[in-house]
Amino acid sequence: MPNDSKSKSPDVPSDWTPTSWRSRPIHQQPSYQDQAELTRSLATIASYPPLVFVGEVEILRLQLAEAAQGRRFILQGGDCAERFQDCNPEAITSKLKILLQMSVVLSYGARQPVIRIGRIAGQYAKPRSADTEIIDGKTLPVFRGDNINSFEPDPDGRRPDPRRLTQSYYAASMTLNYVRAMITGGFADLHHPENWNLSFVSKSSHRQRYEQVVANIRDAVAFMESFGGVREETLGSVDFFTSHEGLLLGFEEAMTRYVPHLGRYYNLGAHMLWIGDRTRSLDGAHIEYFRGIANPVGIKWGPTADPAEMVRIIKALDPRNEPGRITIITRFGASQVAKCLPLAIDAVRQAGLNVLWSSDPMHGNVIKTKNGIKTRDFDAILSELKACFDGHKKHGSRLGGVHFELTGEDVTECTGGAEGIGEQDLSRNYETFCDPRLNYSQSLEMAFVIANIMQVNHQDTAE
Ligand code: PEP
Ligand code: CO
């Protein structure tokens, strides 16, 4: 850490250090029995190379600033909780594939470049609603993510283990290495709809409309490719960014690095981080940590948040009111969005804040089936999204992005969609350790529906 305070940029608050969060009240942290082992693990992580490069974070920041000005659209998505066992070529490939394919469809609908941000290469730790749970009559510490304890319901496995932190660094770096290799090696050729699995289209009542979108994308890609040079620039390679919830502050501190030529601190464990709905208290440790790092920051905004308090939080994190610094990710739920969103938009507007708005239509729409399985329904997710597009438009604002929990695999965790997954199908391939994710077809279908909403919005504006 630098001891020359003169080399610091004025962006770094004078009373902030990468450890200043330690004196604030903190939520959602594991209690480790072996503090010496924890200190060793964190020191090891702090000695390792960053996972991302500061120049990449700066590119994302500029792109998000453009999105805040209405010139780009964000797609953020991936697992609720990444699992160590998913650090394998198939799972990584299919996640990248679905995100790239969705981004092509969204870009077509938005008529804008899409910023792709994975919930990947670090999305391990989970906030939980209770510290313990009862399984087969036994009370156990709750599962908090693969970087903390084991999903297996046994007392030893559920004990927080600091060695899992170093393991999460390795899993994140292997995942990111493979993502980077695929992108530079030409995997982005997946722009071609010929390579997509579109079987859901034939099952949808909107079949004709979707077929038309596919045909238009195919034409647009062929047209672009007919200009050799343009292809390289626009289609052959793509930007892809990583993100995770900045929950476990010991780990995040270890990934925080001072960048001398900019005079700022960056979290170089991911390009973007977000603050969860359960850890965003104004005087708490999380806001303290985040106000000192220069990365773009997402803030979840749920139905229990007080708009005036949210304004104070945004100001604490972004005193310079820079477009692109803050992305607000609303997650009100389909039944509350109509009530909560206008209040949020008004509060932010009255305070004159430059934020970028995204919608997470997943976390407000979790339900339990009669058999106690956690699920989300395609139509409820869609209903929240539509209400966000409409609500922003009606209030003179703009929805600039979407945030999903999804996977490229053929899981059965969410109900609905053209393939008609019902409650009785959920047990067929229910894999998630945490929240239910859209599967490949549901995700791609969601992108088609959103593209359609955005196209209709363009037409309305043009009329
Ligand atoms: C999440 O994004 O996985 C999450 C826990 O969200 P929230 O903080 O909005 O509940
Ligand atoms: Co989740």
Side-chain angles (χ1 to χ4, degrees), residues 286-304:
H286 288 81
I287 300 298
E288 174 58 21
Y289 169 73
F290 275 92
R291 81 186 171 100
I293 58 164
N295 303 59
V297 173
I299 314 172
K300 293 288 198 93
W301 184 328
T304 58

Side-chain angles (χ1 to χ4, degrees), residues 80 119 126 363 376 405 435:
C80 177
R119 289 175 61 114
K126 296 309 303 172
H363 286 90
R376 293 159 165 154
E405 288 186 342
D435 290 336

Side-chain angles (χ1 to χ4, degrees), residues 62-72 112 322-324 354-356 398 400:
L62 291 176
Q63 292 192 0
L64 290 171
E66 290 179 13
Q69 287 150 5
R71 291 186 282 134
R72 289 179 187 264
Q112 284 183 335
E322 272 176 55
N354 284 316
V355 304
L356 169 57
R398 170 185 179 262

Side-chain angles (χ1 to χ4, degrees), residues 3 10 28 62 102 116 131 213 224 229 262 316 324 350 354 360 366 373 389 399 404 407 434 440 442:
N3 45 23
Q28 297 286 344
L62 291 176
M102 288 175 82
R116 300 167 204 85
D131 283 340
V213 173
M224 296 294 274
L262 296 173
Q350 275 172 25
N354 284 316
D360 162 2
V366 182
I373 304 175
F389 275 106
L399 183 66
F404 290 108
T407 168
C434 203
Y440 175 86
Q442 290 169 326

Side-chain angles (χ1 to χ4, degrees), residues 303 332 335-344:
F332 295 128
S335 62
Q336 305 216 58
V337 58
K339 178 184 77 191
C340 298
L341 184 66
L343 299 175

Side-chain angles (χ1 to χ4, degrees), residues 79-81 119 123 125-128 245 247 274-280 299-302 329-331 360 362-364 376 403-405 434-435:
D79 296 318
C80 177
R119 289 175 61 114
Q123 176 49 25
K126 296 309 303 172
R128 304 312 305 256
E245 177 172 348
L247 181 69
W274 74 88
I275 306 172
D277 197 40
R278 295 179 177 86
T279 48
R280 52 164 167 67
I299 314 172
K300 293 288 198 93
W301 184 328
I329 308 165
T330 60
R331 30 87 86 227
D360 162 2
M362 310 300 289
H363 286 90
R376 293 159 165 154
H403 183 120
F404 290 108
E405 288 186 342
C434 203
D435 290 336

Side-chain angles (χ1 to χ4, degrees), residues 2 5 7-18 258-259 262-266 291-294 319-320:
S5 61
S7 65
K8 278 191 209 154
S9 146
D11 297 356
V12 183
S14 56
D15 56 345
W16 184 91
T17 72
Y258 180 67
V259 177
L262 296 173
R264 300 192 196 116
Y265 292 87
Y266 287 79
R291 81 186 171 100
I293 58 164
R320 293 165 175 255

